[in-house]
Structures are given as C-alpha cells and as structure tokens.
Amino acid sequence: MADPLLLSTVDDLLADLCTAEALAGAEQDGWAGPIWDAVEEMGLSRLGIDEQSGGVGGEFADAIAVLGVVGRYAAPVPLAESVLAGWLLSSARLVLGPGLTTVVPGRPEDTVRLEGGALSGDWHRVPWARRAGHVVALVEDRDSWWVVRVDAAACDVEHRANLAGEPRDTLRLDRVGPLDLVPAPVGARPADLRARGALTRAAMMSGALDAIGRLTSSHAQERRQFGRALSSFQAVQAHLVVVAQQAALVAMATGAAARALERGSGTFEIGAAKVLADRAAGVATAAAHQTHGAIGMTYEHHLQHLTRRLWSWRQEYGRAREWSSRLGWSLHAAGADHLYPVVAGTPGGR
C-alpha cells in the first residue's frame, strides 16, 4: 500500500496547480510545464523504478496509487508514460535518463520495423511525443522482441490529440538508429506492457470517477430548483448513487489489480479492472451530466475535463470488449471447476 503521506502530498500539490486556467492552457499548448516540473521535482516520474535504473525506488503499485491522484485532478502530465517507460527500460537492464521519456503503447496500425540496425515506419498515438527527449518501444524482429530507445528529435512528429486534448502524436521514422537495442526479457513483452498500461488507465479513471462523484454531489446540494436542493429529488439521488457506486467499484478493482501485480502477473485482475473502468466511463458520465444539466457541458466547467478524459482513457491499452474476451478465454481454458474460485478469489482459482 502506498504511503498515505505521499498521496496526501501529491493531492495537495495537484490541488494547487491543476487550476481551470492550467488545464485550459495545457489543452491549447499541449503542455503544462509548471505541473510537470513540480511532478519531476518530487521524483514522481521515477516512482516504482529502482535507483540503479535511474528511479527513486518504491513499487509499481505506489506509482499506480499516485496515478489515481493524477486522474482525480485531470492533471495534464505524462506521468503514466514515464513510469511505463522506466519499467520497460529497467526490465531490460537499461537506465532511465534525465528528461521526459515516453513509451509507444503499441497499436495494430504501427509499422515500425528494424532493418539493417535502423528503424523505419510509423508509431501512432504516442503520448506527449512532441515534448519527449527519448521514446521507448517494443519492436519485433525475426520472431524476437526488442526493447528500443530512440532520440525523439530523430523522428518526424505529427501533432495529434485525444478527445481530452492530451497529445497523442504520430512518429515517423526513416532509418533512425536506436540509442539502445536490447532483447526484451520474459515479463516485458507486448502483452505485459499492454496489461501495465491498462492498469495505469484504470487507476487514472478511478481517480477521475472519484472527482466526478464529489463534484456531482456538491452540485446537487448547492443547486436549487423549485425552491429545493437538487439532491432532495429522488431521480437526482439515483444519479448520485450510480456515480458513487461506479467510483467505489473501480477503485476496489484497481486496488485489487495492483496488489495482484505485486504477487505475480495480475493480468486477470487488471483486465477485470479495465472492463469495469470502461463501463463506468459511460454509466457515470451519463449520470453526472444529467445531474449537472447543460452547465456541465460548458468548457468553463470542470466536469467536462474529467468526463472527456474518461472517454479518452477507455480507448487506450485495450477496450472493454478486448479485455472481456481475454477474460472469457482465460476462464474457458481453466475449466468449469475453476470458475467459482476464480470469480470469488478463493484458493484454486488459477
């Protein structure tokens, strides 16, 4: 479990920095320098990475807990990408260098190939690539996977963004020589990166859902219609319950997935958490916006910063349909006798 003092400190930091003006500026400029500088100064971008690999120590679960706070404040910083890149580099016995290093999520439309020791092709939807010094990726060559690190300045960057306005750039490589080229060890293959990436998104979505619940509850208590607070209407109370339920459910699932990852791969639990988070993105968003009415859709209102991120993050590292399919095949492979133990988390499940 992450240190409560650390989480409290990060909460206070982001509460001060993630103002409406800062979020709007980051969406327009594609960068929030003061917030990222503060995050880096605290060492959060290297949390969960051992000191020999350029990190500050701690467990990956600590970083996941901090990402929950990042999601709560819709902080426009590439903290998840730095943590994932550091994990991938340390797994390959490489050191995370200074400055921002982002990670290539790995998408079906990616075309980068290794030919004659150089990389050519496109990587799509790479978070904050325009601001990164280095880019880390997994590349397949002759039936083997390799961890590669390239100089971002050697790539052509096409600026793109997700629904929340966060940079998701396309990188074009034309015979770019990698700075590092190391065989990907077992446990640091595309499926592992996808699982850890999904956990980062579930954690941030959990934080955003918590914030949406608080925001919606506060609005319902303060706003009055027909001489009564909105929260006194039964229909509105039902919306508040739905949002709170979804936030609690995703928080519990994400915490269980982080603990499972510490004990082993945790892929099953991570998949379950991502499925629940993706579902909550739709259910909670609908309930929160119906409670707020039109005001929640305005750009000036904080709610839309959170709900647009929910809808964006559920698109990344596998949607609910993909993870549901993987969970189903996993249960099918385990056999009928293991179904209840797996679902209930009792011994003999897997």
Side-chain angles (χ1 to χ4, degrees):
M1 178 180 292
D3 185 351
L5 179 59
L6 169 65
L7 298 181
S8 174
T9 303
V10 176
D11 194 291
D12 291 342
L13 176 76
L14 296 183
D16 288 339
L17 294 176
C18 294
T19 61
E21 292 76 15
L23 296 185
E27 186 166 344
Q28 181 176 355
D29 303 334
W31 188 239
I35 303 176
W36 178 248
D37 291 345
V39 165
E40 274 219 304
E41 188 175 346
M42 283 189 67
L44 301 178
S45 60
R46 295 161 190 279
L47 188 60
I49 306 164
D50 61 76
E51 296 181 9
Q52 292 77 12
S53 300
V56 297
E59 302 295 332
F60 193 83
D62 297 325
I64 292 299
V66 169
L67 285 171
V69 185
V70 168
R72 187 180 305 150
Y73 290 99
V77 290
L79 184 59
E81 284 61 46
S82 182
V83 169
L84 289 170
W87 161 76
L88 199 53
L89 289 171
S90 64
S91 298
R93 299 184 180 282
L94 296 172
V95 176
L96 179 64
L100 171 60
T101 299
T102 190
V103 67
V104 176
R107 298 178 60 86
E109 61 268 34
D110 288 347
T111 59
V112 172
R113 297 291 181 267
L114 184 63
E115 298 174 348
L119 297 163
S120 298
D122 295 346
W123 281 320
H124 296 270
R125 304 195 70 76
V126 182
W128 280 278
R130 72 190 68 171
R131 304 295 307 198
H134 295 126
V135 179
V136 176
L138 286 166
V139 174
E140 188 178 21
D141 181 51
R142 287 171 292 183
D143 298 326
S144 297
W145 285 97
W146 301 78
V147 177
V148 300
R149 173 164 44 190
V150 301
D151 184 348
C155 310
D156 291 331
V157 181
E158 179 183 332
H159 290 198
R160 306 291 292 269
N162 62 15
L163 180 63
E166 297 174 318
R168 295 292 187 268
D169 300 324
T170 298
L171 289 177
R172 295 200 162 87
L173 291 75
D174 183 11
R175 299 196 58 75
V176 173
L179 300 174
D180 295 292
L181 179 65
V182 178
V186 174
R189 304 287 172 79
D192 305 296
L193 173 60
R194 197 163 186 79
R196 288 184 182 246
L199 182 55
T200 66
R201 288 336 187 241
M204 293 192 294
M205 294 170 77
S206 173
L209 286 164
D210 177 65
I212 289 170
R214 294 171 187 266
L215 199 61
T216 305
S217 177
S218 176
H219 175 81
Q221 293 177 49
E222 295 171 359
R223 191 82 171 182
R224 302 184 70 82
Q225 290 286 349
F226 308 111
R228 299 162 54 190
L230 284 180
S231 59
S232 66
F233 292 92
Q234 192 172 27
V236 174
Q237 292 170 359
H239 287 323
L240 298 180
V241 169
V242 166
V243 177
Q245 285 176 328
Q246 295 300 315
L249 188 62
V250 175
M252 182 178 63
T254 302
R259 292 190 293 275
L261 183 61
E262 287 185 320
R263 298 192 301 270
S265 73
T267 302
F268 188 91
E269 290 81 359
I270 291 172
K274 188 62 163 60
V275 169
L276 291 171
D278 286 8
R279 180 178 180 275
V283 175
T285 294
H289 276 291
Q290 286 178 31
T291 302
H292 278 79
I295 192 173
M297 300 296 292
T298 60
Y299 189 77
E300 292 73 18
H301 202 283
H302 189 59
L303 178 63
Q304 53 85 23
H305 285 295
L306 295 164
T307 53
R308 283 192 294 135
R309 279 168 171 75
L310 282 183
W311 282 47
S312 299
W313 293 336
R314 75 174 179 177
Q315 303 275 355
E316 298 177 338
Y317 290 106
R319 292 198 58 172
R321 177 175 295 182
E322 174 189 329
W323 282 106
S324 295
S325 178
R326 291 183 60 175
L327 294 176
W329 280 110
S330 174
L331 289 170
H332 174 74
D337 291 342
H338 293 270
L339 177 59
Y340 181 79
V342 168
V343 174
T346 56
R350 281 171 288 114

